[in-house]
C-alpha cells in the first residue's frame, strides 16, 4: 500500500500551509508550464490521480469537462476536496498502487506530484494506458530524479560560494526516506531514462518532457527562487496513447 503520509497530523498541518495548498494552482510555481500541456478540456472525461485538495478537479470542471473524477489515498485530502467542490465532481479514496481503472474511459489522466510515491509505477502506468481512449492524453509531474536521488537532499556551497545540489546514488533506484514536513517520508527514485523507457515501452507517444525550474521572470518576482535554477526540481511529462 502507498504510504499515507498526508493523514499524518504533523505532515498535513505543514502541507496545508504551503503556497500550493493555500493559493491552489496559481500557488504552484510549475502550474503555468503544466497548463500549456493540457488539451481543451471542454467535454472531456478527466481523472486526477492523487487529487489532493481538488484544485485541478475544480479547474477541469470550470473549464467544461464532461466528467471529473479524483482519487486520493488520504481521507484528509478528500474531505477538503469534497467540502470545496461542485457536487458533480466525484472523489473516491484509492491506493494508486492497486487502483483499477475502466478501459477506454478517459480523455485525460492527470497527476501532480504523486507518481514518485508509487513503488510499482510501471503497473500503474499500464492501467492508465488501458484507461485512456485512443488519442487520450497523460499529463503528470513528479519530483525530478536529480532532486530525489541524494540520500540527504539539500544545498551546499562550492568553493566560489555558489549553491550546489550534491547528487549521489543516482543509478541506485528504489526508495528514498527523507524528513520533509514529517519524519520518514518515503519516495521512489527512478532515473530519467527508466521513467521515459517505461512510457515508451507501454506504447505512449511522448509529446513534451520538461526538466522544470523557475524562469528568469519568475526569479525576478521571487528572488528567493534563484537557487532553484541550479538544478531541476520537477519533471513535467505529456504523453499520448
Amino acid at each position: 500500500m502507498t504510504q499515507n503520509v498526508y493523514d499524518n497530523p504533523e505532515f498535513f498541518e505543514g502541507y496545508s500551509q504551503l503556497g500550493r495548498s493555500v493559493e491552489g494552482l496559481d500557488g504552484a510555481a510549475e502550474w503555468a508550464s503544466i497548463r500549456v500541456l493540457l488539451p481543451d478540456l471542454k467535454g472531456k472525461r478527466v481523472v486526477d490521480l492523487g487529487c489532493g485538495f481538488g484544485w485541478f478537479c475544480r479547474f477541469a470542471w470550470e473549464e467544461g469537462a464532461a466528467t471529473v473524477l479524483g482519487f486520493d489515498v488520504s481521507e484528509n485530502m478528500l474531505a477538503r476536496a469534497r467540502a470545496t467542490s461542485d457536487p458533480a465532481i466525484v472523489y473516491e479514496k484509492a491506493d494508486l498502487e492497486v487502483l483499477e481503472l475502466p478501459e477506454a474511459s478517459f480523455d485525460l489522466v492527470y497527476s501532480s506530484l504523486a507518481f514518485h510515491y508509487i513503488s510499482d509505477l510501471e503497473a500503474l502506468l499500464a492501467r492508465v494506458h488501458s484507461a485512456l481512449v485512443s488519442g487520450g492524453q497523460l499529463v503528470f509531474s513528479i519530483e525530478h530524479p536529480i532532486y530525489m536521488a541524494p540520500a540527504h537532499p539539500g544545498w551546499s556551497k562550492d568553493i566560489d560560494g555558489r549553491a550546489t545540489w550534491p547528487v549521489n546514488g543516482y543509478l541506485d533506484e528504489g526508495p528514498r526516506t527523507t524528513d520533509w514536513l514529517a519524519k520518514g517520508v518515503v519516495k521512489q527514485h527512478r532515473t530519467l531514462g527508466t521513467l521515459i523507457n517505461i512510457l515508451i515501452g507501454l506504447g505512449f507517444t511522448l509529446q513534451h518532457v520538461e526538466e522544470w525550474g523557475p524562469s528568469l521572470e519568475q526569479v525576478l518576482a521571487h528572488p528567493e527562487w534563484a537557487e532553484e535554477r541550479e538544478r531541476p526540481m520537477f519533471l513535467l511529462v505529456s504523453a499520448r496513447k
Side-chain angles (χ1 to χ4, degrees):
M1 178 176 178
T2 304
Q3 183 188 35
N4 184 9
V5 69
Y6 289 87
D7 281 346
N8 174 311
E10 179 185 3
F11 187 98
F12 186 73
E13 174 63 24
Y15 185 84
S16 297
Q17 297 176 31
L18 297 180
R20 67 181 61 239
S21 299
V22 176
E23 302 171 34
L25 298 177
D26 290 334
E30 74 280 10
W31 168 242
S33 297
I34 292 175
R35 184 168 184 173
V36 300
L37 304 180
L38 298 171
D40 180 0
L41 297 179
K42 188 173 182 180
K44 297 293 194 301
R45 295 163 294 174
V46 176
V47 61
D48 183 352
L49 303 182
C51 63
F53 288 171
W55 293 106
F56 181 77
C57 288
R58 289 191 290 277
F59 169 81
W61 185 251
E62 291 164 2
E63 290 291 301
T67 62
V68 180
L69 175 59
F71 289 106
D72 205 283
V73 72
S74 166
E75 292 282 9
N76 284 340
M77 293 292 199
L78 292 170
R80 184 75 63 87
R82 292 181 180 121
T84 55
S85 294
D86 189 293
I89 300 173
V90 177
Y91 294 104
E92 296 183 9
K93 183 175 181 179
D95 180 356
L96 299 186
E97 292 279 8
V98 296
L99 174 67
E100 296 291 339
L101 296 167
E103 187 174 351
S105 295
F106 301 104
D107 302 291
L108 173 68
V109 176
Y110 175 86
S111 184
S112 172
L113 303 179
F115 285 172
H116 53 252
Y117 292 112
I118 306 303
S119 59
D120 194 351
L121 183 60
E122 184 170 3
L124 173 59
L125 290 175
R127 297 193 296 272
V128 166
H129 188 272
S130 177
L132 284 166
V133 299
S134 180
Q137 193 171 350
L138 166 66
V139 175
F140 69 91
S141 64
I142 61 169
E143 290 185 358
H144 194 285
I146 285 177
Y147 181 85
M148 199 187 320
H152 302 285
W155 294 105
S156 63
K157 298 291 183 180
D158 64 17
I159 59 174
D160 297 319
R162 183 172 178 173
T164 62
W165 187 265
V167 175
N168 55 27
Y170 184 81
L171 295 178
D172 296 325
E173 299 181 314
R176 297 292 192 271
T177 301
T178 59
D179 297 339
W180 178 66
L181 300 180
K183 291 186 177 298
V185 178
V186 180
K187 300 170 185 177
Q188 301 294 331
H189 166 65
R190 298 171 182 86
T191 67
L192 180 59
T194 291
L195 179 66
I196 296 303
N197 286 325
I198 286 174
L199 292 166
I200 293 171
L202 291 172
F204 283 101
T205 299
L206 294 173
Q207 296 182 294
H208 184 85
V209 177
E210 180 174 343
E211 298 177 288
W212 185 89
S215 66
L216 293 175
E217 291 76 14
Q218 286 179 308
V219 171
L220 285 174
H222 301 275
E224 69 276 13
W225 294 355
E227 67 182 11
E228 299 297 339
R229 288 185 57 82
E230 299 294 338
R231 55 94 179 93
M233 188 174 187
F234 300 130
L235 185 69
L236 315 181
V237 178
S238 173
R240 190 173 297 278
K241 179 176 178 179

